[in-house]
Amino acid sequence: VQLQASGGGLVQPGGSLTVSCAATGHPGETPVIAWFRQAPGLSREVVSCIVSTGPATYNMQFVDSVKDRFYISRDNVHNAVALQMFRLKPEDTGVYTCAATNYMTDTNCLRISYHYWGRGTLVTVSS
């Protein structure tokens, strides 16, 4: 699976931004896809993930710090995942990277290991 992230940029606090991830791989696979971020001086953390549970149904998870501000969506036809970010805060600043795996080893995709990684896109929240 190869991943390509896009959509980062500079946004003011309180603003919105969407980052996108396009995954290409073996036809027929619908990998679990997650977004991670790494703030300056901090470790990388998972932010959100999405699992296809049926033809048009999904299980989505968010870490507490972004709940009700970030939303994740998926286009299985194109294997693309978008992370919509609203009411952004300076602490949301970081390099956002998408990752994927074909192995769902836990009921919560925030707790699994990811095996394929894309290059990150920088999101800067600053006035």
Side-chain angles (χ1 to χ4, degrees):
V1 177
Q2 284 128 15
L3 304 164
Q4 179 68 50
S6 61
L10 174 64
V11 61
Q12 291 188 340
S16 304
L17 195 67
T18 297
V19 289
S20 300
C21 179
T24 57
H26 298 293
E29 292 181 351
T30 53
V32 183
I33 296 181
W35 280 99
F36 288 75
R37 70 182 176 194
Q38 186 167 19
L42 299 179
S43 301
R44 184 172 60 197
E45 62 170 346
V46 64
V47 174
S48 180
C49 52
I50 186 166
V51 185
S52 292
T53 56
T57 58
Y58 308 97
N59 179 287
M60 297 164 280
Q61 302 288 341
F62 302 90
V63 294
D64 288 345
S65 61
V66 307
K67 277 181 181 175
D68 300 324
R69 297 191 300 119
F70 288 16
Y71 299 90
I72 192 168
S73 60
R74 179 171 192 143
D75 175 358
N76 276 344
V77 173
H78 301 99
N79 250 350
V81 172
L83 183 69
Q84 295 175 286
M85 304 180 287
F86 299 94
R87 302 197 305 279
L88 283 160
K89 304 175 181 180
E91 53 263 43
D92 294 317
T93 293
V95 176
Y96 284 69
T97 304
C98 56
T101 182
N102 290 314
Y103 303 102
M104 187 67 180
T105 55
D106 192 294
T107 55
N108 186 333
C109 53
L110 294 175
R111 296 197 292 252
I112 65 175
S113 296
Y114 289 82
H115 302 97
Y116 305 100
W117 295 83
R119 297 184 67 174
T121 185
L122 177 62
V123 173
T124 303
V125 184
S126 174
S127 54

